[in-house]
Amino acid sequence: ATILSVEQIGDLTYHGEDAMLNRVTDDERAQILSNLNTAAHDAAEKSTLKTEAEQQVAQRLKEIMNQNGQSLQIEWNDDTTVPSRKP
C-alpha cells in the first residue's frame, strides 16, 4: 500500500507582527509547514494504517466475491496493492 497524501484538517490562521526577537519570515514559515507535512507523512508510513487498510480491502473483496459464488485469493506484491484473482 502507498500513502498518497497527508492533508491538514481545518484552517490555519497566521498572524505575523514585526518583532525584534524570534522573527519568522514567510520563507521560514513555508519551510516549517513543509517539514510538518513531511513529518506527518513519515508518521503515517510508520503506522499500522496501511496494513489495516490492506486487511479491510481484502476482507471486503472476499465477502463480495463469496456473495457471487466465487473465490478470491489476494497477493500483495511489495509496496503495490494489486489484488490478483486465482481460480
Side-chain angles (χ1 to χ4, degrees), residues 37-84:
N37 190 34
T38 299
H41 191 275
D42 291 345
E45 284 287 342
K46 293 176 184 174
S47 74
T48 60
L49 181 65
K50 292 191 306 183
T51 302
E52 292 171 10
E54 287 175 352
Q55 291 171 350
Q56 290 177 7
V57 166
Q59 180 61 34
R60 185 64 184 131
L61 287 173
K62 287 178 184 179
E63 289 171 2
I64 291 169
M65 294 301 287
N66 286 337
Q67 287 176 357
N68 293 324
Q70 299 175 348
S71 63
L72 177 73
Q73 178 180 342
I74 297 176
E75 295 178 9
W76 302 105
N77 300 321
D78 297 331
D79 288 336
T80 60
T81 55
V82 181
S84 60

